[in-house]
């Protein structure tokens, strides 16, 4: 999937919340989303469902995508995740346990894993990304993060837990 036909200016306007730009972005991205979903999903019905869900996710989260360069990879992963979710729902794809997920991650080349981890951080909503970066990259304590964000320890711990769960899901799909 590529960002073909989607200019950086259109993406940026949509990211900043311009309703016409968002509509244009959805319209321009739909054929690429549908094409990739048809190639990835197990059936045409699942491809249509995945396309609609991907468009809905794009509509809701376009403001959280930080750069035009990350847009294609983000959208690609959304469609792939939706196809996998639909296959699991139909009982055609087994759920992956934590041990298998860790083995899959460790079997990747280091350069690819670094790129995937960076993309996983990028895909997080900002309030989860900030906490995860402060804890896992800057190695700040929970108390230091709470002070920096003006949040409670419980809020920081909950966000960190959710951020790690989202990253695990991102990395194992």
């Amino acid at each position: 999937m590529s960002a073909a036909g989607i200019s950086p200016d259109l993406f940026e306007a949509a990211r900043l919340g311009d309703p016409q730009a968002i509509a244009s972005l959805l319209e321009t991205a739909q054929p690429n989303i549908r094409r990739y979903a048809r190639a990835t999903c197990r059936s045409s019905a699942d491809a249509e469902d995945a396309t609609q869900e991907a468009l809905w996710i794009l509509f809701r989260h376009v403001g959280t995508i930080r750069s035009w360069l990350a847009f294609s990879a983000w959208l690609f992963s959304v469609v792939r995740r939706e196809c996998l979710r639909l296959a699991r729902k139909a009982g055609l794809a087994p759920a992956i346990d934590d041990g298998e997920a860790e083995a899959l991650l460790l079997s990747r080349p280091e350069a690819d894993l670094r790129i995937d981890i960076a993309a996983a951080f990028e895909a997080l909503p900002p309030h989860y990304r900030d906490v995860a970066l402060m804890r896992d990259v800057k190695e700040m304590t929970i108390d230091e993060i709470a002070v920096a964000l003006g949040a409670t320890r419980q809020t920081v711990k909950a966000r960190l837990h959710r951020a790690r769960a989202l990253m695990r899901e991102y990395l194992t799909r």
Side-chain angles (χ1 to χ4, degrees), residues 4-172:
I6 299 172
S7 71
D9 293 335
L10 172 63
F11 170 77
E12 189 62 23
R15 194 180 73 77
L16 295 174
D18 179 355
Q20 288 185 319
I22 292 171
S24 181
L25 179 70
L26 292 171
E27 185 177 323
T28 305
Q30 183 177 3
N32 288 335
I33 292 170
R34 181 168 280 121
R35 188 176 313 111
Y36 182 70
R38 284 184 180 152
T40 306
C41 290
R42 65 181 182 85
S43 69
S44 59
D46 280 358
E48 290 304 313
D49 289 346
T51 298
Q52 292 306 310
E53 188 63 25
L55 288 168
W56 176 242
I57 291 170
L58 174 57
F59 173 76
R60 287 190 338 229
H61 297 287
V62 68
T64 65
I65 306 168
R66 291 185 140 187
S67 75
W68 178 74
L69 297 173
F71 175 67
S72 290
W74 179 84
L75 197 52
F76 172 87
S77 69
V78 167
V79 174
R80 186 180 62 207
R81 184 183 71 234
E82 285 307 310
C83 289
L84 184 57
R85 183 185 64 78
L86 291 166
R88 281 187 184 138
K89 186 177 175 181
L92 299 174
I96 298 173
D97 69 18
D98 287 342
E100 290 174 308
E102 186 175 337
L104 285 172
L105 288 175
L106 294 176
S107 68
R108 295 182 187 174
E110 186 177 339
D112 291 347
L113 186 57
R114 286 177 187 262
I115 291 169
D116 290 342
I117 290 171
F121 269 111
E122 185 74 28
L124 288 173
H127 59 287
Y128 294 141
R129 182 183 321 117
D130 294 342
V131 171
L133 287 172
M134 287 179 187
R135 180 70 179 135
D136 296 332
V137 177
K138 294 181 180 178
E139 298 181 346
M140 295 171 67
T141 66
I142 298 295
D143 291 327
E144 291 171 336
I145 298 168
V147 169
L149 297 176
T152 66
R153 281 180 51 86
Q154 292 82 5
T155 299
V156 171
K157 290 169 87 174
R159 287 181 183 173
L160 182 60
H161 175 75
R162 182 67 178 142
R164 287 176 174 166
L166 288 170
M167 288 184 67
R168 188 177 308 110
E169 178 185 334
Y170 182 93
L171 291 169
T172 57

